[in-house]
Amino acid sequence: MKKEILFVLCVALCLALAACAIGTEEAPTDAVPSVQTDAGVTEETTASATKPSETKPAVTEAATESTEESTVYIEETEPPKTYHHTAIKGAVVTDYDGTGQYTFKKVCASCGKEQPGSANHHAWSGTYHGSFTCVSCHKTQQFEIETNAD
């Protein structure tokens, strides 16, 4: 959970920095190196002086804002992990959908009786250990359910 929040904050920071950088770059000028005249005065010429002048229509600030578009880059995210739950002893996993949540029933190893009701558990990895008393033979039984992520 902390890694997901950190990732979202990093993406938001990158987007904010990218948004600040849009429109701040100045267009490069077509400057020609300066020329020194006979009088010793340095005179700077630009490429616009050698080209015919182009007139641009005046654009209002509101029109400029509506025509600018920002490009948003969306990073590819990892596909969600799938989880497999396996009953090792004393239980039967009855339902899981690939997430960490699963449902299981307890089964007595001595008499083989399935206990009434079911239990829900949530696990990301590792082995879940537990115990119960059989309703039929009244013996204490152990169960283990292992969770693996792909």
Side-chain angles (χ1 to χ4, degrees), residues 18-70:
C20 291
I22 294 175
T24 59
E25 296 177 7
E26 295 181 13
T29 58
D30 298 330
V32 179
S34 58
V35 178
Q36 189 170 11
T37 60
D38 293 335
V41 177
T42 304
E43 187 178 291
E44 196 170 303
T45 59
T46 61
S48 61
T50 58
K51 293 181 184 176
S53 65
E54 297 176 13
T55 58
K56 294 183 180 179
V59 180
T60 63
E61 187 175 319
T64 304
E65 290 176 4
S66 65
T67 58
E68 289 182 11
E69 287 188 24
S70 63

Side-chain angles (χ1 to χ4, degrees), residues 69-81:
E69 287 188 24
S70 63
T71 305
V72 177
Y73 297 101
I74 299 173
E75 293 185 24
E76 293 182 18
T77 58
E78 295 180 6
K81 289 183 179 180

